[in-house]
Amino acid sequence: MIEPRAYNLACRIGMALGIQAVLLSAPLSAQANPDSVRLRNDCRLARQVLETGHPSPHWLDALSTIPLCSEDAVPALVNVWGHPPVQRSDLEPLVTATRAVIAPQLVSTLVETLERTDLSTRQRVAALLVLVTYADSSGVPAFHHFIGQREVLLQQRYNGGGDVIRPAGRESIGEPVVDVLRPVLVQLAADDPNPDIRTAAQVALANLRR
């Protein structure tokens, strides 16, 4: 089950992206207002929080703002995924925010995070959660789809009927993410030293659309 703070963040990001779409469709004269200056300032603060961890009380605010920041979003999120948080309560909103943005650098960083054997199962699965949504926008799984009893996990299907996520920046992606992700999952499922990651990779492979 998704924790309330992650659900609330998803709602905040959705509302903010809707507002941004309205603003961008407005005449340029209407866009040149204090709100755009405030957004630039908010983006700078959000990037600072995500890159340095300070001021830490603004972590959730930073994650809800960063998807709106065209210049700051990717480098800030790449930095966070280079050393992802440990707690699930921090990882869930990070997953939600990252699903709203896509770029080749993010895909590469997430794959590297998924493959890192020095990270915990939870941290690696968090990267997988974003990657499977990049690969199929109708697939929006949660941690419980990949962490648990192996026999139960392998019977679950999470594709179809969910929210379709269209991340900002998708036009920058050349090779389909599914083609990047599939061979990585095959390798992880075969010989990753962590049995929980092997299972998670098998679950993801079973759910990837052909």
Side-chain angles (χ1 to χ4, degrees):
M1 181 178 295
I2 299 177
E3 292 191 359
R5 72 200 297 245
Y7 175 78
N8 291 339
L9 179 68
C11 294
R12 288 164 62 186
I13 290 175
M15 291 176 62
L17 289 173
I19 294 170
Q20 183 193 46
V22 172
L23 290 175
L24 291 177
S25 65
L28 288 176
S29 58
Q31 295 180 38
N33 58 45
D35 287 341
S36 62
V37 175
R38 178 179 177 181
L39 178 59
R40 287 197 297 271
N41 291 335
D42 287 348
C43 287
R44 282 194 291 269
L45 177 59
R47 182 170 178 176
Q48 172 190 317
V49 171
L50 295 178
E51 290 185 342
T52 69
H54 302 289
S56 58
H58 294 287
W59 170 256
L60 281 181
D61 289 336
L63 287 176
S64 66
T65 299
I66 205 65
L68 305 176
C69 308
S70 56
E71 295 182 1
D72 296 302
V74 172
L77 290 169
V78 164
N79 180 77
V80 175
W81 283 105
H83 45 88
V86 175
Q87 299 300 321
R88 178 169 168 172
S89 58
D90 290 324
L91 287 166
E92 283 188 328
L94 174 60
V95 167
T96 299
T98 310
R99 280 171 166 163
V101 182
I102 190 171
Q105 307 97 301
L106 261 177
V107 174
S108 298
T109 299
L110 288 163
V111 168
E112 291 172 4
T113 301
L114 173 59
E115 293 177 322
R116 283 179 55 184
T117 58
D118 62 309
L119 296 179
S120 69
T121 297
R122 189 184 298 113
Q123 289 169 304
R124 298 174 70 185
V125 166
L128 178 59
L129 291 176
V130 181
L131 286 167
V132 295
T133 300
Y134 284 173
D136 181 355
S137 60
S138 68
V140 191
F143 280 96
H144 70 267
H145 290 108
F146 293 104
I147 299 177
Q149 187 176 352
R150 181 176 186 277
E151 292 73 17
V152 175
L153 294 175
L154 291 173
Q155 294 176 3
Q156 292 187 112
R157 294 295 178 267
Y158 55 75
N159 274 333
D163 296 330
V164 175
I165 295 180
R166 296 181 175 85
R170 56 192 180 277
E171 67 281 352
S172 68
I173 301 299
E175 183 179 10
V177 175
V178 66
D179 293 340
V180 174
L181 181 58
R182 194 183 303 278
V184 173
L185 293 175
V186 169
Q187 190 68 41
L188 292 174
D191 60 16
D192 193 88
N194 183 336
D196 293 330
I197 292 297
R198 292 199 299 272
T199 296
Q202 292 166 10
V203 172
L205 282 168
N207 281 272
L208 281 183
R209 294 185 176 180
R210 300 288 178 181

